[in-house]
Amino acid sequence: MVLTPRLFFPGILLRMLLSTAVAQDQPVLDERVMTLSVEAAKLSALAYDNATSYANGEDENGNTLYEHPDYESITFYTEEPDQAIFAKKDGRCYLSFRGTTLSISDWLQNTGFGSIDIYKDGNNSTGESCNAR
């Protein structure tokens, strides 16, 4: 079976919405779910911004530090045409990235559904991490 953008991603979105369903099989779009959805949409749009607009110096290893007024911490990872954002707000971690290009290799790269610990600035010695799916 060949997965196409039209069939694959809407199915994932539908499963995500239904995973919050109650016994009556009704999607639950409570305030928490809607707040998370709004934050995800904001970060999705931010993934297309120029990361240098949020640059705020460098750390001791020469890594760019970033700052955004809406987030406790934020880091941009850019390797054109790809850009990802790791952000933390209200104790919750978010990961967002630019849209998928129309290539098989990019689709395969973006289909990792496992769970992973993401460390601040890629440095696992700090212990500053969030578990992401």
Side-chain angles (χ1 to χ4, degrees):
M1 176 180 172
V2 176
L3 300 175
T4 64
R6 190 172 57 245
L7 298 174
F8 186 62
F9 284 117
I12 291 171
L13 181 59
L14 181 60
R15 282 195 300 272
M16 287 172 43
L17 286 173
L18 294 179
S19 70
T20 61
V22 293
Q24 298 89 2
D25 294 325
Q26 303 266 333
V28 177
L29 299 177
D30 59 17
E31 184 176 349
R32 182 186 68 81
V33 171
M34 295 306 292
T35 299
L36 290 173
S37 298
V38 167
E39 204 60 53
K42 287 179 183 177
L43 282 165
S44 181
L46 193 60
Y48 290 89
D49 275 5
N50 185 340
T52 59
S53 301
Y54 305 99
N56 187 29
E58 293 183 349
D59 66 11
E60 62 277 359
N61 298 319
N63 297 315
T64 303
L65 299 173
Y66 298 94
E67 188 174 83
H68 191 284
D70 295 341
Y71 301 97
E72 298 160 26
S73 65
I74 190 166
T75 304
F76 290 79
Y77 301 92
T78 307
E79 188 175 309
E80 293 294 346
D82 296 326
Q83 181 165 278
I85 299 173
F86 174 74
K88 189 171 185 179
K89 182 176 182 175
D90 300 328
R92 193 175 302 274
C93 295
Y94 297 88
L95 181 63
S96 181
F97 57 92
R98 289 181 181 164
T100 303
T101 61
L102 292 176
S103 71
I104 296 296
S105 62
D106 197 32
W107 279 81
L108 293 173
Q109 178 188 22
N110 297 335
T111 57
F113 296 113
S115 182
I116 185 171
D117 285 330
I118 298 177
Y119 292 90
K120 183 175 182 177
D121 299 324
N123 184 355
N124 63 0
S125 67
T126 65
E128 293 183 61
S129 70
C130 285
N131 188 269
R133 292 188 283 170

